[in-house]
Amino acid sequence: MTRCAVLTANGRGAVATVAVHGRQAVELVNRLFFPGSGRDFAQAAEKRIIVGRWGAQPGEEVVVARRGPQLVEVHCHGGIAASEAILTSLEQLGAVRQSWQELVFELSDDAIAAQAQIALAQATTDRTAGILLDQYQGALRQALHQLLERLQSRDLTNAVGIVQELLQYASLGMHLTAPWKVVLAGPPNAGKSSLINAMLGYQRSIVFDQPGTTRDVVQALTTLEGWPVELSDTAGLRESDDQLEQAGVQRARQQVQQAELVLLLVDITATDWQAAAETLCDAYPQAILVLNKVDLLEPDCLGSERAQSDVLQLASRSVHRISALTGQGVEPLLADIVSHLLPVIPSSGTAIPFTNEQVTQLWQIDSLLVSGDFAGSEMVARQMLAPRV
């Protein structure tokens, strides 16, 4: 069966690329492509670039190249119309349309490399792309082969060690193509909108001194030390008779439940700031506490022993004293966010699982090893390495 797929991104662009793969790839292209030289395309050498037209006169101007015995690439004008016309004409001759992801798996005999190639298209930072490139070049595949060797020799200790080392990076692997979710929560007027603007470096949230200004969740994507993060500015947590504000508070609580890290903001100039902080800390024990508006405190109050002891009494947690307005303390806060999201940052070339399927299979192997099932563990490890049919 011959298949065809668009390899370039959807939308308008300078050039679109259509791949044709299968035993009849050259034959089908030969029936639709008319080289400018007038020579028969079927006789063209591999990797030779040929200019011509696609279809009946006047036809679409294209550049065609044989990439292998069963693979042809057709490069046409960018946008949907030209590539769609080429795909349709190929389908009329019996080719089957497929996604570029399906084509990647079909052309690869390395399942891990194919998965990494697909994931690379979704990476949003150089740092995450670099890790995926390591997996494409064989880091994870090599670790799985080492695991198989340990399983075959019934070396339980080292087999478990390899699995656990891979699983320690499972959370990181899941965020190579999706951002970590960090939510800013706290009472109204604590400075959440100001802080999210300071973290982003531009005004994303509306800042106003009236409590309850933020009613809906305001989200923005950014990077912290090269890691993708989605920041969410939420409505102030308080009781209210305003139905619109109530809906905002409920949505804020939902966001907090779904977050991977929560920043609890408290206005340190408020008379009841410590009580508010203690209440929030009790409700969200894993969150980072952020005491905002230190720029409004008197210098002697800021450094007083009482102020320091107040913070220490709140809980054994990360506590930051900042000014979202002036930027004081924001950089250390950003660094702490990264350390919470990534307790261990891998070195270059580290093997890291990066799909839900891989992580699930590794947990399955771990469970099988606990029960001493080497045969079952080996079968799952081989499934991870096997090409998809």
Side-chain angles (χ1 to χ4, degrees):
M1 181 182 297
T2 300
R3 297 175 173 82
C4 54
V6 178
L7 301 183
T8 43
N10 292 330
R12 299 184 65 85
V15 177
T17 300
V18 175
V20 189
H21 173 65
R23 287 182 295 178
Q24 292 183 301
V26 174
E27 177 186 341
L28 295 188
V29 172
N30 192 46
R31 293 170 61 181
L32 294 165
F33 174 56
F34 298 90
S37 64
R39 298 176 181 175
D40 187 2
F41 173 72
Q43 305 303 316
E46 290 185 12
K47 300 183 180 179
R48 182 180 176 187
I49 297 174
I50 303 174
V51 178
R53 293 193 171 273
W54 190 269
Q57 292 294 336
E60 173 78 15
E61 187 175 20
V62 296
V63 175
V64 178
R66 291 183 63 175
R67 295 291 304 276
Q70 298 185 14
L71 178 62
V72 179
E73 285 186 359
V74 182
H75 305 273
C76 60
H77 290 96
I80 297 175
S83 58
E84 181 64 25
I86 291 172
L87 290 171
T88 300
S89 62
L90 288 165
E91 286 182 303
Q92 291 172 347
L93 294 182
V96 175
R97 189 184 304 208
Q98 63 182 177
S99 68
W100 71 267
Q101 294 93 335
E102 292 171 326
L103 183 64
V104 166
F105 276 111
E106 191 167 303
L107 295 177
S108 177
D109 58 0
D110 185 335
I112 303 296
Q115 290 169 327
Q117 185 176 348
I118 292 170
L120 270 165
Q122 302 170 341
T124 56
T125 72
D126 290 343
R127 196 162 192 177
T128 56
I131 292 175
L132 287 168
L133 186 59
D134 285 338
Q135 312 319 306
Y136 176 78
Q137 294 174 338
L140 180 57
R141 180 174 63 253
Q142 183 178 355
L144 291 174
H145 279 299
Q146 292 173 349
L147 174 60
L148 270 175
E149 291 175 1
R150 301 286 78 78
L151 293 172
Q152 290 168 346
S153 62
R154 299 300 187 259
D155 183 350
L156 178 62
T157 301
N158 285 319
V160 170
I162 292 173
V163 173
Q164 291 180 346
E165 185 175 354
L166 290 171
L167 285 173
Q168 76 169 323
Y169 295 116
S171 176
L172 168 58
M174 294 299 92
H175 289 95
L176 295 176
T177 56
W180 280 269
K181 297 183 182 298
V182 176
V183 173
L184 283 67
N189 233 25
K192 297 182 293 296
S193 298
S194 295
L195 178 55
I196 199 171
N197 290 340
M199 295 168 74
L200 293 171
Y202 66 92
Q203 186 168 332
R204 175 67 178 88
S205 292
I206 297 173
V207 178
F208 191 57
D209 60 5
Q210 177 180 330
T213 302
T214 302
R215 300 297 181 93
D216 204 349
V217 177
V218 179
Q219 296 174 323
L221 290 173
T222 189
T223 61
L224 300 181
E225 298 181 16
W227 307 108
V229 174
E230 180 185 82
L231 300 172
S232 295
D233 178 14
T234 61
L237 300 176
R238 69 169 179 175
E239 299 299 324
S240 173
D241 295 330
D242 186 320
Q243 291 187 348
L244 183 59
E245 188 172 357
Q246 287 178 2
V249 171
Q250 179 60 30
R251 189 165 296 181
R253 289 181 173 138
Q254 291 173 350
Q255 288 292 315
V256 168
Q257 291 175 353
Q258 299 169 4
E260 284 146 321
L261 181 63
V262 177
L263 306 185
L264 300 175
L265 260 73
V266 174
D267 178 357
I268 198 172
T269 67
T271 56
D272 62 344
W273 75 265
Q274 188 171 353
E278 289 174 344
T279 300
L280 288 170
C281 289
D282 289 341
Y284 308 106
Q286 303 302 318
I288 294 177
L289 178 62
V290 181
L291 305 177
N292 189 28
K293 304 186 183 181
V294 297
D295 56 304
L296 300 181
L297 293 177
E298 294 296 331
D300 58 340
C301 178
L302 181 61
S304 69
E305 293 183 2
R306 174 60 186 276
Q308 295 296 331
S309 63
D310 285 343
V311 173
L312 293 175
Q313 291 172 8
L314 290 171
S316 177
R317 65 171 65 238
S318 292
V319 181
H320 289 265
R321 301 162 69 85
I322 72 158
S323 167
L325 181 63
T326 68
Q328 178 184 344
V330 173
E331 286 300 323
L333 171 61
L334 296 179
D336 197 22
I337 291 172
V338 173
S339 67
H340 274 74
L341 297 176
L342 294 99
V344 180
I345 296 179
S347 58
S348 178
T350 299
I352 296 176
F354 55 90
T355 70
N356 286 318
E357 182 183 19
Q358 291 167 359
V359 172
T360 299
Q361 289 171 315
L362 286 168
W363 278 117
Q364 186 178 358
I365 292 173
D366 185 68
S367 178
L368 290 168
L369 287 175
V370 169
S371 62
D373 188 349
F374 283 96
S377 299
E378 184 178 340
M379 181 181 68
V380 177
R382 290 189 183 280
Q383 288 173 353
M384 295 181 71
L385 288 164
R388 293 190 178 183
V389 178

